[in-house]
Amino acid sequence: MGFLLPKSLLSLFLLHFFLTTLVNSSDQTVKTYIFRIDRFAKPSIFPTHYHWYASEFADQSTILHVYDTVFHGFSAVLTPSQAANVLQNPSVLAAFEDRRRQLHTTRSPQFLGLRNQRGLWSESDYGSDVIVGVFDTGVWPERRSFSDLNLGPIPSKWKGVCQIGSKFTSRNCNKKIIGARFFAKGHEASGRFGGGIIGGGINETVEFMSPRDADGHGTHTASTATGRYSFQASMSGYAPGIAKGVAPKARLAVYKVCWKNSGCFDSDILAAFDAAVNDGVDVISISIGGGDGISSPYYLDPIAIGAYGAVSRGVFVSSSAGNDGPNGMSVTNLAPWLTTVGAGTIDRNFPADIVLGNGRKFSGVSLYSGTPLSGKMYPLVYPGKSGVLSASLCMENSLDPNLVRGKIVICDRGSSPRVAKGMVVKKAGGVGMILANGASNGEGLIGDAHLIPTCAVGANEGDAIKSYVSSVKVATATINFRGTLIGIKPAPVVASFSGRGPNGLNPEILKPDLIAPGVNILAAWTDAVGPTGLDSDTRKTEFNILSGTSMAAPHVSGAAALLKSAHPDWGPAAIRSAMMTTASVTDNRFQPMTDESTGAKSTPYDFGAGHLNLDLAMDPGLVYDITNDDYVAFLCSIGYGPRTIQVITRSPANCPVKKPSPENLNYPSIAALFSSSISGGSKSKTFVRTATNVGLVNSVYSVRIESPKGAEVTVKPATLVFSEKVKTISYAVTVTVDTKNLVLDDSGAVFGSLSWVDGKHVVRSPIVVTQIDLL
């Protein structure tokens, strides 16, 4: 059961509430505020919007960024009472406090169905005319993944710059990294940089005031999307082979908006959207989301607002679904113009085995590459036996050296970084670690480059090992590391951490849209930190293996670059549609995809339309296109008024007298919401979709329906006949349920699909039927 607030007067109420809060606030500390201004209200006396803002709204010295492309307005450092004064101006459409957001932290291109010299890679010349902008922690430009060997001239449409700074000169850009910028004003104003310097300084010992990457995350995501071929790539011997991005010849534009240990501020992210669209990028990859697990309405969400400005100008935006799975309604980046990407496993694993003193063997994963234990048995302890939570989690200073010295220690996952627990064990004299999942992580495992011999195990194995420890006087164990295994089945499996549906803002739009590889992904790394990112990790590595929806989103960004290169006339919605309607819902055993956390069959709330399959996306047959007017109609349909819509779209909207239905946005998936409060009986909902033929001119498609359990689905017409004159056809989908007898599954919904088939193409849309009450 879900509950959602109405939005008809919400924006006016929030603005009034925000204003009242500021006026009555006793706290007069300066903060950064972002103001959305009606650009049409500028008096002609001012030569630029900046002059207007500086004379009428805020002192010139307090203004951080001026936005004029994806958003109109400015950000400034003000006291709450100064902000309240600005809000009194009738030209101000909206205001919000600057917020900190967090990053959503080799074989994967083949696993997407990409093979060298055939299919998408060869037909698109590897995307060499397409520019991918990556919003992240910057780049380590010396990596082989960013070589410009044999690349042609920089595309003439490029208008960006190579911004120089600390340890970053114009020579760090080339025909691969064609531009680089950094955005720190929001950060500096917050005075909370990772180095702990108050008042906006940056500690040059941990960060570079430049596009150079001190964290590693940005280098990893950039090379996942666009990395060149790097032969003999591996991370300390794990995942050996050729490392390459999804679009190895695409050009890379770096926008550093996130800073080591400090997250990413909305005011800086908005400025990056403004710059990227002006610079001429074709694709934006953003592996960033709300830091609090709560999705703001679109008009208060700078990622949604910035992305609308980009998408409305033809730029595809790929965003991560967040890492708060497997909880329901944990998916983030929900705006329907964003492509929201969850994470799946690939068919490669890094197995390690725990052998107990009683001969029992348990399987887990590890990327430990130091001196092995060589089969030697060591005493095994579980500090959590004492009942002290911090000791069970192996938190800093929680372990008694007398208890753990010379032993393998069982640590529970959670509350602190997985690799940091190993350092705590090492400091207390332990020789190894078994990292045990709790119930919330289930059986979902992530490989880490641990500093001591470590094996991560699922919740069931963890419980069995703990039972062994408490059942014998002296428990012993050893860990064997088995390197890299490929051809793992089943794969893909939906990662347990991947953000799940339903969509908490508008359940009429299914999110995530699809999943892509996001577990144990090998890609380039910075030289500024070791593979764990811990200060105490002094190792250097050219490549690192990471997991997260952060890793999945750049796979889709690279795929979008290839599709844009092969189909220059396709807009963002068509590209997303091609990926979604061709996505795979089965694994490499030809069985329905499963959920890593439970082992059970996964659903569209977990994987959206399915797992990215690039070879098929190249030739989808039909696409569902969406125009800017369609998005405006959607915003009208969810109760946004003209001024609220203008916050997002930059132009006042005229909503029709008869409110449209949000379900009729021309989305490649269908969600039917029925009220649970209406008395039982047969209820129907009808949706309209419009298909555009991008295949052979004369094509005939017939419908194939898999009705959700307990629902009846009918489609009219049941055949679509395309010709030279008929390129788009609309059809109606009617979903009928008996609400009294509808039995929903554990996720609160039932699922089916609708496919259009012509003998070559299968254009598939998931169907979700659920009961939900809108407050």
Short mmCIF file of all heavy atoms in Angstrom, two decimals, residues 688-744:
data_model
loop_
_atom_site.label_atom_id
_atom_site.label_comp_id
_atom_site.label_asym_id
_atom_site.label_seq_id
_atom_site.Cartn_x
_atom_site.Cartn_y
_atom_site.Cartn_z
N VAL A 688 -2.96 5.12 -23.57
CA VAL A 688 -2.65 5.32 -24.99
C VAL A 688 -1.14 5.37 -25.17
O VAL A 688 -0.43 6.02 -24.39
CB VAL A 688 -3.30 6.62 -25.52
CG1 VAL A 688 -2.91 6.84 -26.99
CG2 VAL A 688 -4.81 6.56 -25.37
N ARG A 689 -0.63 4.65 -26.16
CA ARG A 689 0.79 4.70 -26.52
C ARG A 689 0.90 4.93 -28.04
O ARG A 689 0.03 4.50 -28.79
CB ARG A 689 1.51 3.39 -26.15
CG ARG A 689 1.68 3.14 -24.65
CD ARG A 689 2.64 4.13 -24.03
NE ARG A 689 2.87 3.87 -22.61
CZ ARG A 689 2.17 4.39 -21.62
NH1 ARG A 689 1.13 5.18 -21.88
NH2 ARG A 689 2.48 4.13 -20.36
N THR A 690 1.98 5.60 -28.41
CA THR A 690 2.22 5.88 -29.84
C THR A 690 3.57 5.30 -30.22
O THR A 690 4.60 5.68 -29.64
CB THR A 690 2.19 7.40 -30.12
OG1 THR A 690 0.91 7.90 -29.70
CG2 THR A 690 2.39 7.68 -31.59
N ALA A 691 3.56 4.38 -31.18
CA ALA A 691 4.79 3.73 -31.63
C ALA A 691 5.27 4.37 -32.93
O ALA A 691 4.46 4.65 -33.83
CB ALA A 691 4.55 2.24 -31.84
N THR A 692 6.57 4.62 -33.02
CA THR A 692 7.19 5.17 -34.24
C THR A 692 8.05 4.09 -34.88
O THR A 692 8.89 3.49 -34.20
CB THR A 692 8.06 6.40 -33.89
OG1 THR A 692 7.23 7.39 -33.27
CG2 THR A 692 8.71 6.99 -35.13
N ASN A 693 7.85 3.88 -36.17
CA ASN A 693 8.61 2.85 -36.88
C ASN A 693 10.00 3.37 -37.23
O ASN A 693 10.14 4.41 -37.90
CB ASN A 693 7.85 2.46 -38.16
CG ASN A 693 8.57 1.37 -38.93
OD1 ASN A 693 9.36 0.61 -38.36
ND2 ASN A 693 8.30 1.27 -40.22
N VAL A 694 11.05 2.68 -36.77
CA VAL A 694 12.43 3.05 -37.13
C VAL A 694 13.09 1.88 -37.87
O VAL A 694 14.30 1.87 -38.07
CB VAL A 694 13.26 3.45 -35.88
CG1 VAL A 694 12.74 4.75 -35.27
CG2 VAL A 694 13.27 2.33 -34.83
N GLY A 695 12.28 0.89 -38.25
CA GLY A 695 12.80 -0.26 -38.99
C GLY A 695 12.45 -0.16 -40.46
O GLY A 695 12.41 0.94 -41.03
N LEU A 696 12.19 -1.31 -41.10
CA LEU A 696 11.82 -1.32 -42.52
C LEU A 696 10.54 -0.52 -42.72
O LEU A 696 9.61 -0.59 -41.91
CB LEU A 696 11.61 -2.76 -43.01
CG LEU A 696 12.88 -3.62 -43.10
CD1 LEU A 696 12.53 -5.07 -43.42
CD2 LEU A 696 13.83 -3.05 -44.15
N VAL A 697 10.49 0.23 -43.83
CA VAL A 697 9.37 1.16 -44.05
C VAL A 697 8.03 0.43 -44.02
O VAL A 697 7.10 0.85 -43.33
CB VAL A 697 9.56 1.91 -45.40
CG1 VAL A 697 8.32 2.73 -45.73
CG2 VAL A 697 10.78 2.82 -45.32
N ASN A 698 7.92 -0.67 -44.78
CA ASN A 698 6.67 -1.43 -44.81
C ASN A 698 6.76 -2.58 -43.81
O ASN A 698 7.35 -3.62 -44.10
CB ASN A 698 6.39 -1.96 -46.22
CG ASN A 698 6.22 -0.82 -47.21
OD1 ASN A 698 5.38 0.05 -47.01
ND2 ASN A 698 7.04 -0.80 -48.25
N SER A 699 6.21 -2.35 -42.63
CA SER A 699 6.29 -3.36 -41.56
C SER A 699 4.92 -3.59 -40.96
O SER A 699 4.13 -2.65 -40.84
CB SER A 699 7.25 -2.90 -40.45
OG SER A 699 8.55 -2.71 -40.96
N VAL A 700 4.67 -4.82 -40.58
CA VAL A 700 3.41 -5.16 -39.93
C VAL A 700 3.73 -5.85 -38.60
O VAL A 700 4.45 -6.84 -38.55
CB VAL A 700 2.55 -6.11 -40.80
CG1 VAL A 700 1.25 -6.46 -40.07
CG2 VAL A 700 2.24 -5.46 -42.15
N TYR A 701 3.20 -5.29 -37.53
CA TYR A 701 3.43 -5.84 -36.18
C TYR A 701 2.11 -6.35 -35.60
O TYR A 701 1.08 -5.68 -35.73
CB TYR A 701 3.99 -4.75 -35.24
CG TYR A 701 5.43 -4.40 -35.48
CD1 TYR A 701 5.80 -3.48 -36.47
CD2 TYR A 701 6.44 -4.98 -34.72
CE1 TYR A 701 7.14 -3.15 -36.68
CE2 TYR A 701 7.78 -4.66 -34.92
CZ TYR A 701 8.11 -3.74 -35.90
OH TYR A 701 9.43 -3.42 -36.11
N SER A 702 2.15 -7.49 -34.94
CA SER A 702 0.97 -7.94 -34.20
C SER A 702 1.31 -8.03 -32.72
O SER A 702 2.48 -8.17 -32.33
CB SER A 702 0.45 -9.27 -34.72
OG SER A 702 1.49 -10.05 -35.21
N VAL A 703 0.27 -7.92 -31.91
CA VAL A 703 0.49 -7.81 -30.47
C VAL A 703 0.56 -9.19 -29.81
O VAL A 703 -0.08 -10.14 -30.26
CB VAL A 703 -0.62 -6.95 -29.81
CG1 VAL A 703 -1.93 -7.72 -29.68
CG2 VAL A 703 -0.18 -6.41 -28.45
N ARG A 704 1.40 -9.29 -28.79
CA ARG A 704 1.50 -10.49 -27.98
C ARG A 704 1.39 -10.05 -26.53
O ARG A 704 2.17 -9.20 -26.09
CB ARG A 704 2.85 -11.18 -28.26
CG ARG A 704 2.93 -12.61 -27.76
CD ARG A 704 4.10 -13.34 -28.39
NE ARG A 704 5.37 -12.93 -27.83
CZ ARG A 704 6.55 -13.12 -28.41
NH1 ARG A 704 6.62 -13.68 -29.60
NH2 ARG A 704 7.67 -12.73 -27.83
N ILE A 705 0.45 -10.60 -25.80
CA ILE A 705 0.17 -10.13 -24.44
C ILE A 705 0.43 -11.23 -23.43
O ILE A 705 0.01 -12.37 -23.61
CB ILE A 705 -1.30 -9.66 -24.33
CG1 ILE A 705 -1.55 -8.45 -25.24
CG2 ILE A 705 -1.65 -9.31 -22.88
CD1 ILE A 705 -3.01 -8.14 -25.45
N GLU A 706 1.16 -10.88 -22.35
CA GLU A 706 1.25 -11.73 -21.16
C GLU A 706 0.53 -10.96 -20.07
O GLU A 706 1.07 -10.00 -19.53
CB GLU A 706 2.70 -11.95 -20.75
CG GLU A 706 3.46 -12.98 -21.54
CD GLU A 706 4.91 -13.07 -21.05
OE1 GLU A 706 5.11 -13.22 -19.82
OE2 GLU A 706 5.82 -12.98 -21.88
N SER A 707 -0.71 -11.34 -19.78
CA SER A 707 -1.50 -10.59 -18.79
C SER A 707 -0.98 -10.86 -17.38
O SER A 707 -0.67 -12.01 -17.04
CB SER A 707 -2.97 -10.99 -18.87
OG SER A 707 -3.54 -10.49 -20.06
N PRO A 708 -0.92 -9.82 -16.55
CA PRO A 708 -0.57 -10.05 -15.14
C PRO A 708 -1.62 -10.95 -14.50
O PRO A 708 -2.80 -10.92 -14.89
CB PRO A 708 -0.60 -8.64 -14.53
CG PRO A 708 -0.45 -7.71 -15.69
CD PRO A 708 -1.11 -8.39 -16.84
N LYS A 709 -1.22 -11.73 -13.52
CA LYS A 709 -2.12 -12.69 -12.86
C LYS A 709 -3.31 -11.94 -12.26
O LYS A 709 -3.14 -10.99 -11.50
CB LYS A 709 -1.34 -13.43 -11.77
CG LYS A 709 -2.06 -14.64 -11.23
CD LYS A 709 -1.18 -15.37 -10.21
CE LYS A 709 -1.95 -16.52 -9.59
NZ LYS A 709 -1.19 -17.16 -8.53
N GLY A 710 -4.51 -12.36 -12.63
CA GLY A 710 -5.71 -11.74 -12.09
C GLY A 710 -6.16 -10.51 -12.84
O GLY A 710 -7.11 -9.84 -12.44
N ALA A 711 -5.46 -10.17 -13.94
CA ALA A 711 -5.84 -9.00 -14.75
C ALA A 711 -6.05 -9.44 -16.19
O ALA A 711 -5.48 -10.42 -16.65
CB ALA A 711 -4.76 -7.93 -14.68
N GLU A 712 -6.89 -8.67 -16.89
CA GLU A 712 -7.10 -8.93 -18.32
C GLU A 712 -6.58 -7.73 -19.10
O GLU A 712 -6.88 -6.58 -18.73
CB GLU A 712 -8.59 -9.14 -18.60
CG GLU A 712 -8.88 -9.52 -20.04
CD GLU A 712 -10.37 -9.41 -20.39
OE1 GLU A 712 -11.19 -9.19 -19.48
OE2 GLU A 712 -10.69 -9.54 -21.57
N VAL A 713 -5.77 -7.96 -20.13
CA VAL A 713 -5.21 -6.87 -20.93
C VAL A 713 -5.69 -7.03 -22.37
O VAL A 713 -5.53 -8.09 -22.98
CB VAL A 713 -3.67 -6.89 -20.89
CG1 VAL A 713 -3.09 -5.77 -21.77
CG2 VAL A 713 -3.16 -6.73 -19.46
N THR A 714 -6.28 -5.96 -22.92
CA THR A 714 -6.66 -5.97 -24.34
C THR A 714 -6.02 -4.78 -25.03
O THR A 714 -5.79 -3.73 -24.41
CB THR A 714 -8.19 -5.89 -24.51
OG1 THR A 714 -8.66 -4.71 -23.85
CG2 THR A 714 -8.89 -7.11 -23.93
N VAL A 715 -5.71 -4.94 -26.31
CA VAL A 715 -5.03 -3.89 -27.09
C VAL A 715 -5.80 -3.66 -28.39
O VAL A 715 -6.14 -4.62 -29.10
CB VAL A 715 -3.57 -4.29 -27.40
CG1 VAL A 715 -2.91 -3.26 -28.31
CG2 VAL A 715 -2.77 -4.42 -26.11
N LYS A 716 -6.09 -2.38 -28.71
CA LYS A 716 -6.75 -2.03 -29.96
C LYS A 716 -5.99 -0.92 -30.64
O LYS A 716 -5.70 0.09 -29.97
CB LYS A 716 -8.19 -1.58 -29.70
CG LYS A 716 -9.11 -2.73 -29.31
CD LYS A 716 -10.52 -2.24 -29.11
CE LYS A 716 -11.44 -3.41 -28.75
NZ LYS A 716 -12.77 -2.99 -28.39
N PRO A 717 -5.64 -1.02 -31.94
CA PRO A 717 -5.78 -2.22 -32.76
C PRO A 717 -4.76 -3.29 -32.36
O PRO A 717 -3.76 -2.96 -31.73
CB PRO A 717 -5.50 -1.70 -34.18
CG PRO A 717 -4.59 -0.54 -33.97
CD PRO A 717 -5.01 0.10 -32.67
N ALA A 718 -5.02 -4.52 -32.73
CA ALA A 718 -4.12 -5.62 -32.39
C ALA A 718 -3.03 -5.80 -33.44
O ALA A 718 -2.13 -6.63 -33.28
CB ALA A 718 -4.91 -6.91 -32.23
N THR A 719 -3.11 -5.02 -34.52
CA THR A 719 -2.09 -5.06 -35.58
C THR A 719 -1.71 -3.62 -35.95
O THR A 719 -2.59 -2.75 -36.05
CB THR A 719 -2.64 -5.77 -36.84
OG1 THR A 719 -3.13 -7.05 -36.46
CG2 THR A 719 -1.55 -5.96 -37.89
N LEU A 720 -0.43 -3.38 -36.11
CA LEU A 720 0.07 -2.06 -36.55
C LEU A 720 0.68 -2.21 -37.93
O LEU A 720 1.61 -2.99 -38.12
CB LEU A 720 1.13 -1.52 -35.57
CG LEU A 720 0.74 -1.43 -34.09
CD1 LEU A 720 1.91 -0.89 -33.27
CD2 LEU A 720 -0.49 -0.55 -33.88
N VAL A 721 0.15 -1.47 -38.91
CA VAL A 721 0.62 -1.56 -40.29
C VAL A 721 1.31 -0.25 -40.66
O VAL A 721 0.66 0.80 -40.77
CB VAL A 721 -0.54 -1.85 -41.28
CG1 VAL A 721 0.00 -1.98 -42.71
CG2 VAL A 721 -1.28 -3.12 -40.86
N PHE A 722 2.63 -0.30 -40.81
CA PHE A 722 3.42 0.89 -41.15
C PHE A 722 3.74 0.90 -42.63
O PHE A 722 3.89 -0.15 -43.27
CB PHE A 722 4.72 0.92 -40.34
CG PHE A 722 4.51 1.08 -38.87
CD1 PHE A 722 4.46 -0.03 -38.02
CD2 PHE A 722 4.35 2.35 -38.31
CE1 PHE A 722 4.26 0.12 -36.66
CE2 PHE A 722 4.15 2.50 -36.95
CZ PHE A 722 4.11 1.39 -36.12
N SER A 723 3.85 2.11 -43.19
CA SER A 723 4.16 2.26 -44.62
C SER A 723 4.94 3.55 -44.81
O SER A 723 5.27 4.24 -43.85
CB SER A 723 2.86 2.30 -45.43
OG SER A 723 2.12 3.46 -45.04
N GLU A 724 5.19 3.91 -46.06
CA GLU A 724 5.89 5.17 -46.38
C GLU A 724 5.13 6.35 -45.77
O GLU A 724 5.74 7.29 -45.27
CB GLU A 724 5.97 5.31 -47.91
CG GLU A 724 6.77 6.52 -48.38
CD GLU A 724 8.27 6.39 -48.11
OE1 GLU A 724 8.89 5.42 -48.57
OE2 GLU A 724 8.79 7.28 -47.41
N LYS A 725 3.79 6.28 -45.84
CA LYS A 725 2.98 7.40 -45.35
C LYS A 725 2.68 7.29 -43.85
O LYS A 725 2.47 8.29 -43.18
CB LYS A 725 1.65 7.45 -46.11
CG LYS A 725 1.82 7.99 -47.53
CD LYS A 725 0.48 8.15 -48.21
CE LYS A 725 0.67 8.79 -49.58
NZ LYS A 725 -0.50 8.58 -50.43
N VAL A 726 2.63 6.08 -43.32
CA VAL A 726 2.26 5.88 -41.91
C VAL A 726 3.51 5.47 -41.12
O VAL A 726 3.94 4.32 -41.17
CB VAL A 726 1.16 4.80 -41.77
CG1 VAL A 726 0.78 4.63 -40.30
CG2 VAL A 726 -0.05 5.17 -42.60
N LYS A 727 4.07 6.45 -40.40
CA LYS A 727 5.30 6.17 -39.63
C LYS A 727 5.02 6.05 -38.13
O LYS A 727 5.82 5.47 -37.40
CB LYS A 727 6.33 7.27 -39.88
CG LYS A 727 6.91 7.24 -41.28
CD LYS A 727 8.10 8.19 -41.42
CE LYS A 727 8.86 7.99 -42.71
NZ LYS A 727 8.04 8.19 -43.91
N THR A 728 3.92 6.64 -37.67
CA THR A 728 3.56 6.53 -36.26
C THR A 728 2.11 6.06 -36.15
O THR A 728 1.25 6.49 -36.93
CB THR A 728 3.70 7.87 -35.50
OG1 THR A 728 2.81 8.81 -36.08
CG2 THR A 728 5.12 8.40 -35.57
N ILE A 729 1.85 5.18 -35.19
CA ILE A 729 0.49 4.67 -34.95
C ILE A 729 0.25 4.65 -33.45
O ILE A 729 1.08 4.19 -32.67
CB ILE A 729 0.31 3.24 -35.53
CG1 ILE A 729 0.56 3.23 -37.04
CG2 ILE A 729 -1.09 2.71 -35.20
CD1 ILE A 729 0.50 1.83 -37.66
N SER A 730 -0.93 5.14 -33.05
CA SER A 730 -1.33 5.08 -31.63
C SER A 730 -2.21 3.87 -31.40
O SER A 730 -2.95 3.44 -32.30
CB SER A 730 -2.09 6.35 -31.24
OG SER A 730 -1.23 7.46 -31.31
N TYR A 731 -2.12 3.32 -30.22
CA TYR A 731 -2.99 2.20 -29.85
C TYR A 731 -3.41 2.36 -28.40
O TYR A 731 -2.79 3.11 -27.64
CB TYR A 731 -2.29 0.85 -30.09
CG TYR A 731 -1.03 0.62 -29.26
CD1 TYR A 731 -1.10 0.03 -27.99
CD2 TYR A 731 0.23 0.98 -29.74
CE1 TYR A 731 0.04 -0.18 -27.24
CE2 TYR A 731 1.38 0.78 -28.99
CZ TYR A 731 1.28 0.20 -27.73
OH TYR A 731 2.40 -0.01 -26.98
N ALA A 732 -4.49 1.67 -28.03
CA ALA A 732 -5.03 1.76 -26.67
C ALA A 732 -4.85 0.43 -25.96
O ALA A 732 -5.10 -0.63 -26.52
CB ALA A 732 -6.51 2.14 -26.71
N VAL A 733 -4.40 0.50 -24.71
CA VAL A 733 -4.24 -0.69 -23.87
C VAL A 733 -5.25 -0.57 -22.73
O VAL A 733 -5.25 0.42 -22.00
CB VAL A 733 -2.82 -0.75 -23.26
CG1 VAL A 733 -2.63 -2.03 -22.45
CG2 VAL A 733 -1.75 -0.61 -24.32
N THR A 734 -6.12 -1.58 -22.58
CA THR A 734 -7.09 -1.57 -21.48
C THR A 734 -6.75 -2.69 -20.51
O THR A 734 -6.59 -3.85 -20.90
CB THR A 734 -8.53 -1.74 -22.01
OG1 THR A 734 -8.80 -0.67 -22.93
CG2 THR A 734 -9.54 -1.69 -20.87
N VAL A 735 -6.58 -2.30 -19.24
CA VAL A 735 -6.29 -3.27 -18.18
C VAL A 735 -7.53 -3.36 -17.29
O VAL A 735 -8.01 -2.34 -16.77
CB VAL A 735 -5.07 -2.85 -17.34
CG1 VAL A 735 -4.79 -3.86 -16.24
CG2 VAL A 735 -3.84 -2.68 -18.24
N THR A 736 -8.06 -4.58 -17.12
CA THR A 736 -9.27 -4.79 -16.32
C THR A 736 -8.96 -5.74 -15.17
O THR A 736 -8.31 -6.77 -15.37
CB THR A 736 -10.40 -5.39 -17.19
OG1 THR A 736 -10.59 -4.54 -18.33
CG2 THR A 736 -11.70 -5.49 -16.42
N VAL A 737 -9.38 -5.35 -13.95
CA VAL A 737 -9.16 -6.21 -12.78
C VAL A 737 -10.43 -6.27 -11.96
O VAL A 737 -11.26 -5.36 -12.00
CB VAL A 737 -8.00 -5.70 -11.88
CG1 VAL A 737 -6.69 -5.69 -12.61
CG2 VAL A 737 -8.31 -4.32 -11.31
N ASP A 738 -10.59 -7.36 -11.22
CA ASP A 738 -11.61 -7.44 -10.19
C ASP A 738 -10.90 -7.11 -8.88
O ASP A 738 -10.16 -7.93 -8.33
CB ASP A 738 -12.21 -8.84 -10.14
CG ASP A 738 -13.28 -8.95 -9.05
OD1 ASP A 738 -13.40 -8.01 -8.24
OD2 ASP A 738 -13.97 -9.99 -9.01
N THR A 739 -11.06 -5.88 -8.40
CA THR A 739 -10.25 -5.40 -7.27
C THR A 739 -10.48 -6.24 -6.01
O THR A 739 -9.60 -6.33 -5.16
CB THR A 739 -10.54 -3.92 -6.96
OG1 THR A 739 -11.96 -3.74 -6.87
CG2 THR A 739 -9.99 -3.02 -8.05
N LYS A 740 -11.66 -6.87 -5.90
CA LYS A 740 -11.95 -7.68 -4.71
C LYS A 740 -11.10 -8.96 -4.70
O LYS A 740 -10.69 -9.43 -3.65
CB LYS A 740 -13.44 -8.02 -4.66
CG LYS A 740 -13.89 -8.42 -3.25
CD LYS A 740 -15.38 -8.24 -3.04
CE LYS A 740 -16.16 -9.34 -3.78
NZ LYS A 740 -17.61 -9.24 -3.53
N ASN A 741 -10.85 -9.50 -5.88
CA ASN A 741 -10.17 -10.81 -5.96
C ASN A 741 -8.73 -10.70 -6.46
O ASN A 741 -8.10 -11.72 -6.74
CB ASN A 741 -10.96 -11.76 -6.87
CG ASN A 741 -12.34 -12.04 -6.30
OD1 ASN A 741 -12.47 -12.23 -5.10
ND2 ASN A 741 -13.35 -12.01 -7.14
N LEU A 742 -8.21 -9.47 -6.59
CA LEU A 742 -6.84 -9.29 -7.09
C LEU A 742 -5.85 -9.66 -5.98
O LEU A 742 -5.89 -9.08 -4.89
CB LEU A 742 -6.63 -7.84 -7.54
CG LEU A 742 -5.29 -7.51 -8.19
CD1 LEU A 742 -5.12 -8.26 -9.51
CD2 LEU A 742 -5.16 -6.00 -8.44
N VAL A 743 -4.97 -10.62 -6.25
CA VAL A 743 -3.98 -11.04 -5.24
C VAL A 743 -2.61 -10.54 -5.69
O VAL A 743 -2.06 -11.00 -6.69
CB VAL A 743 -3.96 -12.58 -5.08
CG1 VAL A 743 -2.91 -12.98 -4.04
CG2 VAL A 743 -5.33 -13.09 -4.69
N LEU A 744 -2.06 -9.57 -4.94
CA LEU A 744 -0.76 -8.99 -5.29
C LEU A 744 0.35 -9.84 -4.69
O LEU A 744 0.18 -10.49 -3.67
CB LEU A 744 -0.67 -7.55 -4.78
CG LEU A 744 -1.79 -6.62 -5.27
CD1 LEU A 744 -1.65 -5.24 -4.65
CD2 LEU A 744 -1.79 -6.51 -6.79
#
